[in-house]
Amino acid sequence: MKKPSTDTSASGLRGEYEGASDDYTVGQDWHAYTPQMHERWRRLHARQSALTDRYACRSFREGLARLDCAVGIPRFEDANAILGPATGWQLVAVPGFIPDAVFFDHLAHRRFPVTRWIREEHELDYLVEPDVFHDFFGHAPMLLDPAIADFLELYGKAGERAMAMDALPMLARIYWYTIEFGLVREGDELRVFGAGIISSHSETVYSIDDSGVLRLPFDPVRVMRTGYMIDDFQKTYFVLESLPQLIDDLVGLDFGPVYEQWRDAPALPAGESLPGETPYNPKREMTP
């Protein structure tokens, strides 16, 4: 299997694609992880989990506790024994980035692709490509939430139409600003549920506490029109009133006319509000 191409990495993709199946899945090969790799996982897990009580949404905290993955790189089969009965999802190991059509097909069948390699020591704070820590720690806990579980399946099924209408960038922004970089309101506080945030120590704090960042109420059309950053903190975050809002706001929306109206328009710059928009910035009570 040849490596897929991507415009998010200029240095070439990592991962061993030789021997991958047609759907880009591979064995996790858990026994190949070294003690140093497991120790690296433990440090990453300890650093990020220390932030969850203060910053992560309830579903993430509860899901992380159920998966119980603090002691080392988890076995996907063990996680699947929890995910399957709960929401019907399964983790499948992949070498790294996979083609869009393959990714959508996995999601449409409740299979979440998880990169099997772990970042190097010098990449603890940042890396462009997703690794096993980002994919498992960031995403797997949320697969136990019924709203996210259902949304991801529907998102996967929407991929074919977006590709056929040459509107994939618009659909990708929905995923980026929710599953990767989404915020949700819980009571009077903002909480993180996006994996791209919760797997990054610095952006977790920045997304909630920085007074200069633009936070907007979730609006699917606005989201689909908004560009995003792939190599820096986000300049715009969208806030859900609840996780079920993902389903409520998107299921009844006919994406076809939205794609036709906006697919050829330049993306709105991240970090800039439109006339008449009111930023979402409720006062957040900080706990010591």
Side-chain angles (χ1 to χ4, degrees):
M1 182 64 66
K2 293 176 63 178
K3 289 187 179 184
S5 59
T6 177
D7 58 4
T8 61
S9 175
S11 58
L13 296 177
R14 279 178 284 184
E16 181 52 64
Y17 287 79
E18 297 253 346
S21 300
D22 290 344
D23 61 1
Y24 281 81
T25 57
V26 293
Q28 185 186 6
D29 198 13
W30 186 86
H31 293 287
Y33 296 125
T34 66
Q36 292 78 16
M37 292 175 180
H38 286 293
E39 196 276 333
R40 198 176 305 146
W41 171 281
R42 286 192 290 272
R43 280 186 285 132
L44 286 165
H45 187 285
R47 183 172 69 166
Q48 289 307 115
S49 60
L51 297 175
T52 57
D53 283 348
R54 184 171 176 181
Y55 293 100
C57 71
R58 182 180 300 106
S59 288
F60 182 88
R61 301 194 307 271
E62 293 175 350
L64 186 64
R66 290 178 68 182
L67 292 171
D68 190 20
C69 56
V71 298
I73 300 171
R75 298 174 190 260
F76 298 169
E77 62 192 61
D78 293 341
N80 288 342
I82 299 170
L83 291 167
T87 59
W89 276 85
Q90 296 283 282
L91 307 180
V92 293
V94 294
F97 274 118
I98 59 177
D100 293 323
V102 178
F103 180 68
F104 287 129
D105 185 69
H106 279 306
L107 295 187
H109 292 89
R110 295 205 173 211
R111 300 187 299 261
F112 197 89
V114 177
T115 304
R116 65 178 175 180
W117 54 264
I118 189 166
R119 67 192 69 185
E120 298 294 336
E121 188 69 28
H122 66 278
E123 299 173 306
L124 293 186
D125 292 325
Y126 175 78
L127 76 167
V128 174
E129 296 174 61
D131 71 336
V132 66
F133 183 75
H134 167 86
D135 283 344
F136 191 101
F137 182 92
H139 286 292
M142 294 303 298
L143 293 175
L144 289 164
D145 181 276
I148 296 298
D150 291 345
F151 167 74
L152 281 170
E153 179 185 355
L154 294 172
Y155 181 86
K157 292 177 177 178
E160 184 176 0
R161 185 182 189 188
M163 290 187 289
M165 295 188 67
D166 197 25
L168 188 56
M170 294 185 67
L171 184 63
R173 292 170 192 149
I174 291 284
Y175 188 91
W176 186 270
Y177 278 119
T178 58
I179 301 303
E180 290 291 355
F181 291 94
L183 302 177
V184 63
R185 179 179 174 179
E186 288 189 348
D188 294 329
E189 295 188 327
L190 290 184
R191 293 283 181 164
V192 172
F193 75 93
I197 305 176
I198 203 62
S199 61
S200 165
H201 185 276
S202 298
E203 191 153 7
T204 296
V205 177
Y206 168 84
S207 67
I208 299 295
D209 291 343
D210 192 282
S211 61
V213 70
L214 178 63
R215 303 175 187 87
L216 295 172
F218 180 78
D219 177 289
V221 176
R222 175 66 157 96
V223 170
M224 284 190 281
R225 295 182 59 201
T226 305
Y228 55 78
M229 311 293 291
I230 65 171
D231 56 1
D232 200 353
F233 291 166
Q234 299 307 299
K235 294 183 177 180
T236 301
Y237 298 95
F238 291 90
V239 181
L240 292 170
E241 288 298 311
S242 68
L243 294 175
Q245 185 185 357
L246 275 175
I247 301 291
D248 296 341
D249 282 12
L250 292 170
V251 167
L253 178 66
D254 187 348
F255 281 35
V258 178
Y259 291 156
E260 291 176 353
Q261 181 175 2
W262 299 110
R263 66 187 169 194
D264 297 321
L268 297 172
E272 297 183 14
S273 58
L274 297 176
E277 286 186 329
T278 301
Y280 190 113
N281 195 20
K283 182 179 179 181
R284 184 175 190 274
E285 295 182 6
M286 301 301 296
T287 57

